[in-house]
Amino acid sequence: MKDEYLSFEQCLSRLEHSFLRKAQGFWGAHVDFQHPSLRDMLLKLLQDNPIARLNYISMASSHGLSDIIQGIPYYAQRATHEVHNLIVRNKRELEALKQRLENIISATMPSEDHLLIINSAESLLPRKKGGIIELADLDLKSFQKSHSGKVLKTIINSFANEDIYKNNKTRQLGSWVKILNKFYKLVQYVVPIPHLAYLRNLVSRIKKEDITDSIQLFDLLSTYEPIFFNQVFSKELADQWGEEIASRLEDCRNSGNDIDGIVSSSREEYDEKYAEFDDWRSEAEELLENAFLFYEFSEIEGPAALENLDNLVNNIAEPLEPEDEEDEEEGIDYEPDIPLENYWTIERLFEDL
């Protein structure tokens, strides 16, 4: 009977490349569980095959590029279990990555894919002890010569190029604002700072777009493009937006007054009223956030409706639960289908895997 079982070392050897991995720590070797995946298998193939790795970089999708970008800080290092990204190994692969980024960023694609790439670019910023190094403490010229600096510059210049706008003209203004919000935070680490070539195109669309998206765009301009902001933000536009915002604030406050501490006669009505209350609060908070932005960059004094809605949001009472209905679930004990003592077993763990 004993001969039917493999030794511990043999079991470990069989499982080492699937469910288990060995690691050497301070106290000696130990074994960790890992979930086998197609992604891990692909990473291992690419890390060990230079030709496949170069081809992959040259044809990577936005999701693939996001993964590669996050691996750039480990340039030319050996892959480890802690670094779960494809690592670029040499200058040829780095140039292939930069070329692929230029091509794909300027292409027509969903805004989520562009956001994925530019959000990943934040991992390229120089860090010390886990935190991003502030500009005042950074040698920008030296950073530009680093591999992370070169890739970041490629990404930012590509997002500043007019081609990205030409190929994505149907994109909503709100989606552009999300991209620009990240762009302006990263562009400070690039020398020389590129000029966003399609700003006037975006501003020309504000009459057809929702005022919320337009306000967020102009808030970015007032902070990062003050000269251009003064050219395009007129008194006429300020008065028009101010009038519309004041009207929205008043309407929102009236709606809030109608549901302030409202009483429900049944559980169904309470659930309906609470959902209405929750939607109103989210809408009011978003409206207030954009209103404060507008009155700050326009330097216009906020109307009484702004303070009134702010006070209501902070003091509004939630819908009251009905008092007559008893909680039908009170006192009911739920028994699990499987006894607890039989649940956490090796067999069930492997079933989950």
Side-chain angles (χ1 to χ4, degrees), residues 45-290:
L45 170 66
L46 294 176
Q47 299 291 19
D48 297 339
N49 191 324
I51 296 177
R53 189 167 61 248
L54 181 61
N55 289 335
Y56 177 80
I57 293 172
S58 301
M59 297 184 293
S61 66
S62 57
H63 288 266
L65 289 171
S66 172
D67 180 79
I68 299 171
I69 290 168
Q70 294 176 63
I72 289 297
Y74 306 98
Y75 178 88
Q77 297 181 21
R78 295 293 301 175
T80 66
H81 292 293
E82 286 69 33
V83 182
H84 242 32
N85 303 92
L86 179 69
I87 298 178
V88 173
R89 298 289 184 82
N90 52 53
K91 291 182 179 180
R92 186 181 181 189
E93 293 175 4
L94 186 67
E95 291 302 316
L97 172 62
K98 290 164 61 178
Q99 185 62 54
R100 181 59 178 165
L101 284 168
E102 289 178 358
N103 293 338
I104 202 168
I105 289 175
S106 63
T108 304
M109 66 167 62
S111 60
E112 292 79 9
D113 289 352
H114 273 139
L115 271 173
L116 183 64
I117 293 176
I118 200 166
N119 283 335
S120 301
E122 191 168 1
S123 64
L124 300 170
L125 298 182
R127 284 172 165 77
K128 186 176 182 181
K129 294 182 179 180
I132 297 175
I133 301 176
E134 297 295 332
L135 282 170
D137 302 323
L138 179 67
D139 184 348
L140 274 176
K141 289 186 177 180
S142 297
F143 174 65
Q144 292 297 301
K145 296 177 182 178
S146 68
H147 303 103
S148 294
K150 292 176 181 178
V151 175
L152 179 62
K153 186 173 185 177
T154 299
I155 293 172
I156 293 303
N157 283 335
S158 299
F159 272 98
N161 194 293
E162 192 173 10
D163 288 342
I164 187 176
Y165 180 80
K166 289 180 179 179
N167 293 324
N168 296 276
K169 286 185 177 180
T170 59
R171 179 174 294 166
Q172 293 183 346
L173 184 61
S175 297
W176 284 112
V177 170
K178 291 179 181 177
I179 292 173
L180 297 189
N181 190 48
K182 181 64 66 172
F183 171 87
Y184 281 118
K185 292 178 181 178
L186 297 175
V187 74
Q188 305 170 68
Y189 290 86
V190 175
V191 179
I193 293 179
H195 171 67
L196 208 60
Y198 46 92
L199 270 182
R200 289 193 178 276
N201 300 88
L202 293 178
V203 171
S204 66
R205 296 169 48 177
I206 60 174
K207 293 183 179 180
K208 302 178 182 178
E209 301 283 347
D210 184 78
I211 188 175
T212 297
D213 296 331
S214 300
I215 286 174
Q216 292 179 0
L217 173 63
F218 272 68
D219 178 59
L220 286 174
L221 297 181
S222 67
T223 303
Y224 298 104
E225 305 277 0
I227 297 177
F228 181 67
F229 170 81
N230 290 329
Q231 294 173 352
V232 295
F233 188 64
S234 63
K235 184 180 183 303
E236 179 184 0
L237 185 60
D239 293 340
Q240 177 187 336
W241 283 359
E243 183 178 342
E244 182 171 350
I245 291 173
S247 176
R248 290 192 182 190
L249 291 169
E250 190 64 34
D251 291 343
C252 189
R253 185 182 71 115
N254 292 335
S255 299
N257 286 332
D258 293 338
I259 60 175
D260 187 9
I262 192 169
V263 179
S264 303
S265 58
S266 66
R267 171 62 57 178
E268 290 75 14
E269 184 182 2
Y270 168 77
D271 292 339
E272 180 182 335
K273 294 299 181 183
Y274 196 91
E276 181 183 348
F277 166 81
D278 211 32
D279 290 342
W280 174 86
R281 184 165 53 185
S282 297
E283 178 186 339
E285 289 174 348
E286 182 180 358
L287 176 59
L288 282 171
E289 180 182 355
N290 286 285

